[in-house]
């Protein structure tokens, strides 16, 4: 009976913090680690441990990009022995499954849950040289072969004309993604039903985190200004947006799922707001 009580108590604490949709429902950090490959002590440089798998049959990724005709770049991830699994993010590490991270000169810019991505010019710092994509398991460990992360990089070539006034660079690429990408600072939200303006300074959120109520199908614009570089993440929708230090960034989201979804920052782990969609 005592052992049963301890087990029940341990399960109730989950990750040791408040409830979040970051993990697959009912899954703790410990339960989500999985047993595929070998978990190494080394990490990807951002705290995500490497998950070593044999070279034969290991995930592979190739990145291609080209300037978009209106703004920024269109990126394509060509993957092998790998599939994107947005519905199981936060769950156990399954063979050849997960998501990708996009980095700009070594700094994380977005989490990718599919082979297509539009990168607005406003999210790329002036003088940036290289884009890198890296593959991760659902438990957020990085797939690795011979002690090195499974990744691929593409250089940003010289600037190309941009009708919207931003700067752009190019390489080989593919047509733009079918679905619209989050908008960045400097772009005007188009036909947003609600706008939520949030400031982050010295580890504090202004105004204090509260619930933003939406009707299903409404579009919400999240305008965020952070005093340090970070990444905004909308749990449940798995939408991310880079937050450049001291610059306003805007994410446009169509609330097409009902429920309570938290909007947080990845690096500082701050709750910005909760989207209550009915």
């Amino acid at each position: 009976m005592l052992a049963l009580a301890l087990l029940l108590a341990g399960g109730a604490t989950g990750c040791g913090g408040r409830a979040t949709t970051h993990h697959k429902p009912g899954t703790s950090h410990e339960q989500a680690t999985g047993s595929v490959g070998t978990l190494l002590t080394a990490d990807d440089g951002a705290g995500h441990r490497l998950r070593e798998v044999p070279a034969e049959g290991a995930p592979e990724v190739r990145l291609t990009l080209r300037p978009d005709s209106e703004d920024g770049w269109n990126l394509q991830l060509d993957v092998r022995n790998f599939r994107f699994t947005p519905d199981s993010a936060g769950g156990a590490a399954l063979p050849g499954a997960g998501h990708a991270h996009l980095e700009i000169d070594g700094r994380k810019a977005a989490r990718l849950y599919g082979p297509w991505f539009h990168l607005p010019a406003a999210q790329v710092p002036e003088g940036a040289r290289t884009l890198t994509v890296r593959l991760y398991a659902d438990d957020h460990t990085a797939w690795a072969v011979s002690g090195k992360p499974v990744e691929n990089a593409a250089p940003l070539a010289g600037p190309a004309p941009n009708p919207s006034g931003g700067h752009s660079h190019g390489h080989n690429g593919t047509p733009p993604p079918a679905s619209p990408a989050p908008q960045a600072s400097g772009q005007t939200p188009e036909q947003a039903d609600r706008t939520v303006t949030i400031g982050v300074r010295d580890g504090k959120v202004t105004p204090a985190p509260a619930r933003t109520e939406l009707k299903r199908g409404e579009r919400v614009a999240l305008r965020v200004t952070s005093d340090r570089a970070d990444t905004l993440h909308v749990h449940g929708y798995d939408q991310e947006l880079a937050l450049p230090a001291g610059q306003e960034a805007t994410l446009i989201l169509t609330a097409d799922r009902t429920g309570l979804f938290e909007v947080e920052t990845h690096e500082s782990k701050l709750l910005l707001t909760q989207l209550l969609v009915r």
Side-chain angles (χ1 to χ4, degrees):
M1 292 295 292
L2 178 59
L4 178 60
L6 290 173
L7 285 173
L8 291 174
T13 58
C15 293
R18 56 184 172 75
T20 176
T21 55
H22 182 65
H23 302 293
K24 187 176 181 180
T27 303
S28 69
H29 276 296
E30 292 74 17
Q31 293 168 331
T33 55
S35 58
V36 179
T38 302
L39 198 59
L40 306 181
T41 56
D43 62 38
D44 65 348
H48 301 276
R49 294 177 64 181
L50 303 185
R51 185 174 292 278
E52 177 86 17
V53 292
E56 183 176 357
E60 299 178 23
V61 61
R62 180 175 179 267
L63 172 65
T64 57
L65 62 148
R66 74 174 181 183
D68 182 81
S69 60
E70 294 186 356
D71 172 64
W73 302 262
N74 295 310
L75 283 59
Q76 183 189 21
L77 279 65
D78 180 17
V79 296
R80 296 183 180 181
N81 304 319
F82 184 83
R83 66 188 188 281
F84 291 96
T85 53
D87 292 339
S88 58
L94 301 177
H99 55 274
H101 287 187
L102 173 67
E103 293 185 351
I104 303 175
D105 286 348
R107 181 181 292 276
K108 182 180 175 182
R111 186 189 297 174
L112 312 183
Y113 283 102
W116 300 97
F117 184 74
H118 176 251
L119 178 64
Q123 292 189 38
V124 180
E126 192 68 40
R129 294 174 176 269
T130 307
L131 296 181
T132 302
V133 289
R134 185 177 302 120
L135 299 183
Y136 290 79
D138 284 326
D139 69 344
H140 306 290
T141 54
W143 293 112
V145 174
S146 301
K148 296 182 179 180
V150 175
E151 60 184 35
N152 188 251
L156 288 167
N162 190 314
S164 64
H167 65 282
S168 181
H169 310 277
H171 190 59
N172 296 333
T174 50
S179 58
Q183 297 190 21
S185 57
Q187 295 180 303
T188 302
E190 298 178 358
Q191 300 179 347
D193 299 293
R194 296 283 303 278
T195 298
V196 180
T197 303
I198 302 170
V200 179
R201 186 174 183 83
D202 297 327
K204 296 182 179 180
V205 179
T206 306
R211 289 186 178 180
T212 301
E213 296 192 12
L214 300 165
K215 294 180 180 179
R216 185 173 182 177
E218 284 189 321
R219 288 167 58 84
V220 59
L222 300 174
R223 289 181 172 272
V224 182
T225 303
S226 173
D227 62 348
R228 55 171 289 184
D230 212 321
T231 302
L232 176 148
H233 181 68
V234 183
H235 295 301
Y237 283 85
D238 290 318
Q239 291 275 4
E240 290 198 349
L241 178 69
L243 301 176
Q247 300 180 30
E248 182 182 84
T250 302
L251 184 147
I252 306 294
L253 177 71
T254 299
D256 56 4
R257 302 180 189 177
T258 58
L260 182 63
F261 307 96
E262 295 181 345
V263 181
E264 297 180 316
T265 56
H266 262 308
E267 302 300 327
S268 53
K269 303 185 186 302
L270 296 173
L271 175 66
L272 303 183
T273 189
Q274 292 179 319
L275 302 180
L276 179 59
V277 185
R278 301 182 185 277

